Amino acid sequence: MNSKSVETGKKIFRFVSSVVLVAVLAALFAVMWYLRLQMLMPTRFLGLGNYLMIGLYTVLTILMINTFKGFNIGSGRISILTMSQAIAMGLVNILEFIIVILMTRIKVLMWITLAYIVVLTVAQAFAVLAITFISTKLYRAVFPPFSILNIYGEYENNLVVKMNRRGDKYNITGEMSCKEPLDKITKELENYDAVLINDVPAETRNDIIKACFATDKRVYFTPKISDILIKGSEEVNLFDTPLYLCKNVGMDGISSAIKRMGDILISGIGIILSSPIMLVTAILIHKYDGGPVFYKQTRCTIGGKEYQIMKFRSMITDAEKDGKARLASENDDRITPIGHFIRATRIDELPQFFNILKGEMSVVGPRPERPEIIAEYVKDVPEFAFRTHVKAGLTGYAQVYGKYNTTSYDKLKLDMIYCEKCSVLLDIQLILMTLRVIFTKDATEGVEEGAVNANVRK
């Protein structure tokens, strides 16, 4: 089977799987609607009204699952996919609960409605687990992983190790230096389904990509910072010569104002809702060793401006008594027992809602770094300073798609993708995706012992 047929087959399989998933979820809602929720209405709907409610629920389901990338059958891990779908359905059912309450207008029915919605959510959780598990297993059986040739440059990284952990998707069976002649590389490509261009100089990479295009070979490649900047460009169709424009200005004034209003609203609600958790956490931290509850540290935001970030203290009071800045490592003995818990659950980040309310940072943006660590990074990667072109954030692209121990160079790439694509809609998507990250254990992994600027390079 050729590459085009495989791609067509994958798209059809994902489409059918997605249709089945949505149909089952909508059917479960329809059963609950007809048998229970409709009974709560002061006046029962006619046939058209019932179809409208089920149709609305279906549309919300599609939009929410798509936002959480829950339709990527075969691409993501089963655990991540089911978690994404379950969170999406939880949010859809919360919206449905609000709609039903507003329609009934009888407060005494609130708890009955909530009970029905909880039962519906549990049933749907089992459904998405079963459908996703079966669909993914079938997908992997029908579409085995591509055989991939790794073409490497002079720098070493752990990308091949990461890809080999996903044996269901990638099968790197050969490798070759980018310094080999292009005709030899092109000849070798005939033995593989795809190629990984792994940290190869731009000129050589471009030649290999052209060779792959000519032979219909799939290409994976690690982008340069300039690639990410170019990706955010716009076409200028004023002449008969192709022209691209990189504006490099971030959000416009109107979007920035909407973003700021959203920051104030979200941080205010966050402070109110999390105040009981913050109060209990403060008591436990102080009771453990009698030290300060909060930990303030100088960080950099937009334009390199410094401010004092506020977090719950998760380490011993003299964690950096030697005056040297260093990131937390795996099994770091400076972290207290309470600190391990609040770091794993992200509770230590809650006081940053006050920084957001004050306008020092945003809900979404690159994570703020310490000035001294930025100074270390820019020695090897001057472009690391580009992250401060937008306001620092509580969550962001690197937090959703990376890990705590992601190398600084890869974090920079992720943050630069946000800087180029930043918009109000993207912010909303990243905020929702953060809900999934909270439940992902490996997102909080520490860096290797003593690492500060590991794997940074141009």
Side-chain angles (χ1 to χ4, degrees):
M1 188 181 293
N2 60 44
S3 298
K4 291 183 179 179
S5 298
V6 171
E7 288 304 311
T8 301
K10 286 183 176 181
K11 288 183 179 180
I12 294 173
F13 188 97
R14 287 198 181 103
F15 176 76
V16 172
S17 299
S18 299
V19 169
V20 171
L21 177 65
V22 173
V24 170
L25 294 174
L28 288 171
F29 169 75
V31 171
M32 182 61 74
W33 173 258
Y34 278 110
L35 297 183
R36 289 291 182 266
L37 295 176
Q38 188 187 198
M39 303 293 185
L40 303 177
M41 299 294 109
T43 303
R44 292 194 185 183
F45 284 7
L46 299 175
L48 186 60
N50 292 324
Y51 298 149
L52 180 62
M53 289 299 298
I54 296 171
L56 174 62
Y57 188 88
T58 303
V59 171
L60 289 174
T61 297
I62 294 171
L63 292 176
M64 198 63 73
I65 293 180
N66 187 61
T67 297
F68 282 90
K69 302 187 183 302
F71 289 130
N72 293 339
I73 302 294
S75 296
R77 293 188 178 94
I78 295 175
S79 58
I80 298 297
L81 280 174
T82 53
M83 185 186 303
S84 299
Q85 294 159 357
I87 293 174
M89 294 317 302
L91 292 175
V92 171
N93 289 337
I94 289 173
L95 290 174
E96 189 62 34
F97 170 72
I98 295 172
I99 291 172
V100 173
I101 289 301
L102 292 175
M103 291 171 63
T104 58
R105 298 181 181 179
I106 303 175
K107 293 183 179 180
V108 73
L109 297 177
M110 179 180 296
W111 295 109
I112 299 176
T113 305
L114 180 60
Y116 292 154
I117 293 296
V118 170
V119 171
L120 173 63
T121 304
V122 172
Q124 289 175 331
F126 282 106
V128 298
L129 177 61
I131 294 171
T132 303
F133 180 83
I134 294 171
S135 298
T136 302
K137 291 297 183 182
L138 284 174
Y139 181 95
R140 293 173 181 175
V142 175
F143 305 106
F146 289 106
S147 61
I148 301 175
L149 173 65
N150 173 38
I151 301 178
Y152 58 89
E154 60 179 302
Y155 295 108
E156 294 183 3
N157 59 32
N158 61 351
L159 179 59
V160 172
V161 175
K162 293 177 183 177
M163 294 180 72
N164 280 335
R165 289 173 184 162
R166 291 297 309 274
D168 57 295
K169 281 184 61 63
Y170 309 109
N171 183 26
I172 300 177
T173 56
E175 63 178 16
M176 197 173 194
S177 171
C178 68
K179 296 180 180 179
E180 296 286 352
L182 182 61
D183 57 347
K184 185 177 180 180
I185 293 176
T186 304
K187 181 68 176 177
E188 186 66 17
L189 286 175
E190 297 175 2
N191 303 317
Y192 298 87
D193 301 315
V195 60
L196 168 63
I197 305 177
N198 190 5
D199 229 337
V200 169
E203 184 176 353
T204 304
R205 181 200 64 186
N206 294 343
D207 291 336
I208 297 173
I209 289 178
K210 291 174 185 177
C212 290
F213 181 83
T215 54
D216 295 329
K217 294 292 182 181
R218 171 183 290 236
V219 180
Y220 301 92
F221 69 93
T222 53
K224 309 293 184 183
I225 298 299
S226 56
D227 296 326
I228 296 172
L229 295 176
I230 291 171
K231 189 179 179 182
S233 61
E234 299 176 3
E235 288 186 31
V236 178
N237 296 312
L238 298 178
F239 318 100
D240 57 356
T241 299
L243 188 65
Y244 284 86
L245 169 65
C246 293
K247 293 183 178 179
N248 302 321
V249 294
M251 284 189 177
D252 56 56
I254 296 176
S255 297
S256 297
I258 295 173
K259 180 182 175 75
R260 178 58 188 146
M261 288 189 290
D263 287 341
I264 294 173
L265 178 63
I266 293 173
S267 60
I269 294 174
I271 290 170
I272 294 171
L273 294 180
S274 65
S275 55
I277 299 175
M278 288 197 283
L279 179 60
V280 172
T281 303
I283 293 172
L284 291 175
I285 292 174
H286 183 70
K287 195 170 182 180
Y288 175 74
D289 58 10
V293 170
F294 297 108
Y295 179 64
K296 295 184 178 181
Q297 193 177 69
T298 302
R299 298 289 179 98
C300 292
T301 184
I302 187 169
K305 182 180 179 181
E306 296 182 0
Y307 73 102
Q308 294 294 308
I309 196 172
M310 190 162 66
K311 303 173 70 172
F312 280 122
R313 182 172 59 87
S314 61
M315 294 188 176
I316 56 178
T317 54
D318 56 350
E320 292 182 351
K321 57 184 177 182
D322 57 2
K324 295 181 179 179
R326 59 185 186 276
L327 301 174
S329 61
E330 295 186 52
N331 304 316
D332 199 318
D333 58 6
R334 298 175 299 162
I335 304 175
T336 66
I338 297 171
H340 279 293
F341 175 76
I342 63 175
R343 288 169 71 93
T345 55
R346 310 300 204 281
I347 291 175
D348 64 321
E349 308 277 2
L350 292 178
Q352 290 173 59
F353 279 129
F354 293 99
N355 292 116
I356 296 171
L357 192 62
K358 290 162 59 179
E360 295 168 330
M361 57 189 293
S362 178
V363 174
V364 180
R367 284 295 293 157
E369 289 287 1
R370 301 161 69 174
E372 54 269 37
I373 290 181
I374 292 177
E376 285 293 318
Y377 285 155
V378 297
K379 290 178 182 178
D380 294 300
V381 187
E383 297 92 341
F384 196 81
F386 290 176
R387 299 168 72 255
T388 58
H389 278 212
V390 297
K391 190 179 290 188
L394 178 61
T395 187
Y397 217 86
Q399 283 63 52
V400 169
Y401 296 105
K403 301 179 182 178
Y404 184 81
N405 62 355
T406 298
T407 65
S408 60
Y409 191 56
D410 285 336
K411 281 184 178 179
L412 171 60
K413 290 179 180 179
L414 292 169
D415 286 330
M416 289 307 301
I417 291 174
Y418 174 77
C419 290
E420 283 299 311
K421 295 171 58 177
C422 60
S423 67
V424 174
L425 290 178
L426 178 59
D427 281 7
I428 294 172
Q429 182 182 28
L430 292 175
I431 290 171
L432 293 175
M433 290 289 286
T434 302
L435 296 175
R436 189 186 74 178
V437 174
I438 291 174
F439 299 102
T440 305
K441 183 178 183 295
D442 60 1
T444 58
E445 291 175 356
V447 297
E448 293 180 3
E449 189 69 36
V452 173
N453 59 344
N455 294 325
V456 294
R457 59 188 179 279
K458 293 183 182 179

